[in-house]
Amino acid sequence: MLERNALAARFPANDDSPPVGWRITDGLTSYEDAVAFMDSRVNAIAAGREDELVWLVEHPPLYSAGTSAVNTDLIDPHRFPVHKTGRGGEYTYHGPGQRVAYVMLDLNRRKRDVRAFVAALEALVISTLETMNIRGERREDRVGVWVQRPDKARMPDGTIAEDKIAAIGVRLRKWVSFHGISINVEPDLSHYDGIIACGIKDHGVTSLADLGQLVPLHEVDIRLRACFEDIFGPVRIER
């Protein structure tokens, strides 16, 4: 059953729209190949030649810089390849053990509301985490999905520490989205040390494994797909 945030954030397509393609690529996908594929698919979706698609991948270790990235947030520019990208946001990390979901949806078939779309993506992550007994939360002043860490020292202002478990960064072309979300399943969290992730200095990052949930990647995919269908509508497997 959908949690309340997800119910409020449903983002279905028009009744005559076909199911969204759902593709999972095993192994590690190069970032350059992923961006090239998204460019082609988004253009085809906008032209009406292809259906919408969610593409699930893992990447080799890399840093990506969004349109708001500042150079001072790249602490170790030589640790991993750095890719400039057209998505929103700042620096983030991708690597093995992290599920990246590239979400290519036509907002012309849904509604042209970027804030509602981002809220629906947040709800997708939150409802997926909920199925694994993790309470994810959104923050108005911080992009992504966060979890409270009462096991850690409190913040200087006395509030409970919070870590980021999922990142969200999107771009639109002719109202078709690309890029999307990333959920930390079991990545090497020390790889985040080379950047100030999303420009946020006072909070850390976490993962399902770090929180004690040793869930295989394929199981996360199953849960993610079910929650996606609740919010965005039916999918069909695309190979």
Side-chain angles (χ1 to χ4, degrees):
M1 180 179 293
L2 278 177
E3 57 109 69
R4 185 175 302 173
N5 286 332
L7 284 169
R10 293 198 65 201
F11 208 80
N14 299 332
D15 290 341
D16 59 348
S17 295
V20 177
W22 188 269
R23 178 185 296 186
I24 301 174
T25 297
D26 295 328
L28 301 181
T29 300
S30 79
Y31 194 76
E32 296 93 334
D33 289 348
V35 171
F37 175 85
M38 280 192 288
D39 278 340
S40 175
R41 183 66 176 240
V42 165
N43 287 338
I45 294 170
R49 299 193 306 271
E50 291 277 9
D51 294 337
E52 298 172 300
L53 177 67
V54 176
W55 183 28
L56 277 57
V57 303
E58 281 182 281
H59 288 305
L62 63 94
Y63 298 130
S64 69
T67 54
S68 300
V70 295
N71 290 336
T72 53
D73 287 346
L74 182 58
I75 298 171
D76 187 353
H78 305 295
R79 185 168 188 180
F80 298 125
V82 179
H83 298 269
K84 292 186 177 180
T85 178
R87 62 159 175 82
E90 302 179 52
Y91 281 104
T92 194
Y93 165 77
H94 294 312
Q98 181 191 74
R99 175 50 84 207
V100 177
Y102 289 126
V103 182
M104 290 161 268
L105 298 184
D106 188 353
L107 272 60
N108 295 294
R109 305 179 190 179
R110 298 170 184 272
K111 52 184 173 182
R112 293 185 176 184
D113 188 329
V114 178
R115 294 186 67 178
F117 175 55
V118 172
L121 292 176
E122 290 174 334
L124 170 61
V125 174
I126 290 169
S127 57
T128 301
L129 294 175
E130 186 182 42
T131 69
M132 294 174 281
N133 300 312
I134 293 174
R135 180 178 176 82
E137 299 177 342
R138 56 167 60 90
R139 293 290 179 262
E140 292 298 327
D141 59 338
R142 286 182 259 129
V143 178
V145 176
W146 300 80
V147 294
Q148 293 192 343
R149 300 299 304 270
D151 55 312
K152 291 189 172 183
R154 285 182 173 259
M155 300 297 293
D157 62 1
T159 58
I160 296 174
E162 295 180 341
D163 286 343
K164 190 171 189 176
I165 194 168
I168 298 173
V170 297
R171 180 181 175 185
L172 296 178
R173 178 185 298 159
K174 296 181 179 179
W175 289 101
V176 179
S177 68
F178 54 128
H179 297 281
I181 64 175
S182 60
I183 301 174
N184 288 340
V185 179
E186 195 175 3
D188 185 338
L189 295 178
S190 71
H191 289 179
Y192 280 90
D193 294 344
I195 56 172
I196 297 175
C198 302
I200 299 170
K201 299 179 181 179
D202 298 330
H203 299 278
V205 291
T206 189
S207 66
L208 297 180
D210 184 47
L211 295 172
Q213 295 290 342
L214 301 178
V215 184
L217 197 63
H218 72 270
E219 177 66 25
V220 175
D221 294 343
I222 292 169
R223 295 169 185 268
L224 185 67
R225 176 183 167 185
C227 293
F228 180 91
E229 291 191 305
D230 283 334
I231 297 171
F232 293 95
V235 305
R236 61 171 178 79
I237 302 301
E238 181 176 305
R239 304 192 186 279

